[in-house]
Amino acid sequence: MIRHFLIDTDLSPAEQREVLDLAALMKAEPYRFRPLEGPQTGIVLFDKTSTRTRVSFSAGIAALGGSPLIINPGESQLGHKETISDSARVFARMSSVVIWRTFAQAPLEELAEHSSVPVINALTDDYHPCQLLADLQTIREHKADASGSIEGLTMTYLGDAANNMANSYLLSGVTAGLHVRIAGPEGYLPAEDIVKAARERAEQTGGSVLITTDAAEALAGADVVVTDTWVSMGQEDEKEQRLQLFRDYTVDAAAMAQADDHAIFLHCLPAYRDYEVTAEVIDGPQSVVFDEAENRLHAQKALMAWLLYASGLAEIPADLQLPEAQAARGQSTGTSA
């Protein structure tokens, strides 16, 4: 069975831990693992502008032994002169992994349905799961206990809580066993189906979900404080309205003072200083945003390798223990995948 990563919960809690363990290993030994040796091609499709996604996937595919092929808007027939299903079949015959940064979730899912190689969500309007893998790796590096666990930590997200980042913080956070608190104004909170899915996953991991309009309630004693831009691509005409709507959810020194004394600050970037976060916070000692940005590279390399291993499209190195990937491809029982 080909494994895709379209939504945060496509990885089980155990699989997520395995990917994060592999990410730490790849960060320590950047060029050890070469599942795309050949070089094989990794297609990276962009319908939206990008900095970190473009650089991290391009560099990551190369570091795994492959060759990245970047396709910008208007440079292919995907979804225009050619159906998504036909494009998926063509891509799979010429590449080993397909990454897509796009708008709606449904076309991404259609691409994966017809693809015989892994498809990865590099951002849609609904989810940003690759960013969350990088965030969890960063939290591990700065907040893990002596055993390396981050289970039981509290992560607070403030601001526009009806967007893709809030959705992924909920789903990935509880998958990692975190207590996830989401705070935003009425009308800008996560959809009920997302909250329901997060609570169901939290029952498996010991995590929890709190949705509130009270920033102080969400911040109290938090170990990790997170925010995102208030004005995403396509919302520029709402800028002034949004600046007024979200001003009580700015992450400033007073907000950080309500969190734990040793709390860290995360932001997926780009950040608009003195809107969603003040300069003194993002440039201050609690900020780990550039560790977080770097970890996009390592987490996504690990994800690509894990999906290839689990799909039976690359051999798992003999000295690498990946029981979840082996189970996914049927190696643990000797059955075919």
Side-chain angles (χ1 to χ4, degrees):
M1 183 179 70
I2 301 300
R3 293 295 301 268
H4 307 291
F5 190 56
L6 312 180
I7 181 175
D8 306 73
T9 46
D10 280 343
L11 293 176
S12 71
E15 290 171 346
Q16 184 194 74
R17 287 192 297 271
E18 192 162 270
V19 170
L20 293 172
D21 288 344
L22 184 55
L25 188 57
M26 287 184 167
K27 188 171 185 177
E29 302 180 69
Y31 307 109
R32 174 182 167 191
F33 302 100
R34 310 281 285 179
L36 291 175
E37 193 73 80
Q40 300 171 52
T41 298
I43 293 176
V44 194
L45 298 152
F46 287 98
D47 293 338
K48 294 185 176 186
T49 58
S50 166
T51 296
R52 278 147 294 277
T53 299
R54 181 183 298 267
V55 175
S56 58
F57 271 114
S58 297
I61 289 168
L64 294 176
S67 178
L69 173 60
I70 304 298
I71 302 178
N72 293 308
E75 293 182 347
S76 80
Q77 311 295 353
L78 175 65
H80 302 289
K81 294 183 179 179
E82 184 171 64
T83 64
I84 290 173
S85 60
D86 284 354
S87 291
R89 293 181 176 98
V90 171
F91 292 156
R93 286 173 177 245
M94 300 183 184
S95 68
S96 298
V97 62
V98 179
I99 299 108
W100 195 5
R101 181 181 176 94
T102 189
F103 294 91
Q105 182 78 10
L108 179 78
E109 294 176 351
E110 183 180 355
L111 187 78
E113 180 183 353
H114 298 281
S115 177
S116 56
V117 299
V119 173
I120 295 173
N121 180 354
L123 178 143
T124 63
D125 292 343
D126 293 333
Y127 309 103
H128 198 356
C130 287
Q131 178 65 56
L132 263 293
L133 290 176
D135 287 12
L136 292 172
Q137 183 179 1
T138 307
I139 295 168
R140 277 183 158 205
E141 291 173 351
H142 290 272
K143 301 296 293 181
D145 62 22
S147 69
S149 174
I150 60 172
E151 292 180 6
L153 293 177
T154 296
M155 179 169 65
T156 294
Y157 174 93
L158 299 184
D160 183 355
N163 67 6
N164 51 5
M165 289 306 305
N167 292 344
S168 280
Y169 277 116
L170 272 172
L171 297 173
S172 276
V174 297
T175 297
L178 302 180
H179 302 295
V180 183
R181 302 173 183 169
I182 304 288
E186 281 297 347
Y188 293 85
L189 295 171
E192 278 304 313
D193 60 325
I194 302 292
V195 176
K196 181 175 182 289
R199 287 186 168 138
E200 289 173 353
R201 178 56 64 93
E203 290 177 0
Q204 303 173 30
T205 65
S208 67
V209 171
L210 171 67
I211 309 296
T212 180
T213 58
D214 187 343
E217 180 184 18
L219 284 165
D223 300 292
V224 182
V225 178
V226 189
T227 191
D228 183 29
T229 179
W230 295 341
V231 186
S232 296
M233 286 178 278
Q235 298 173 336
E236 289 80 5
D237 59 341
E238 305 172 28
K239 179 177 177 180
E240 292 306 318
Q241 174 190 351
R242 283 174 164 267
L243 293 184
Q244 293 301 314
L245 183 66
F246 296 118
R247 68 181 185 275
D248 292 337
Y249 300 91
T250 299
V251 180
D252 54 16
M256 292 301 294
Q258 297 176 66
D260 183 79
D261 290 344
H262 302 289
I264 58 174
F265 172 75
L266 298 176
H267 191 305
C268 66
L269 302 179
Y272 298 89
R273 286 168 167 77
D274 299 320
Y275 288 177
E276 72 269 13
V277 59
T278 60
E280 65 181 332
V281 171
I282 196 169
D283 297 325
Q286 291 173 282
S287 174
V288 293
V289 297
F290 294 106
D291 291 349
E292 177 188 9
E294 178 190 343
N295 284 337
R296 287 290 301 277
L297 171 63
H298 310 300
Q300 289 164 186
K301 282 173 60 181
L303 174 67
M304 287 187 284
W306 192 93
L307 292 173
L308 290 165
Y309 295 148
S311 300
L313 299 177
E315 287 303 313
I316 301 174
D319 61 343
L320 184 61
Q321 297 300 311
L322 290 178
E324 299 302 322
Q326 291 169 335
R329 67 194 289 181
Q331 287 188 5
S332 62
T333 61
T335 60
S336 59

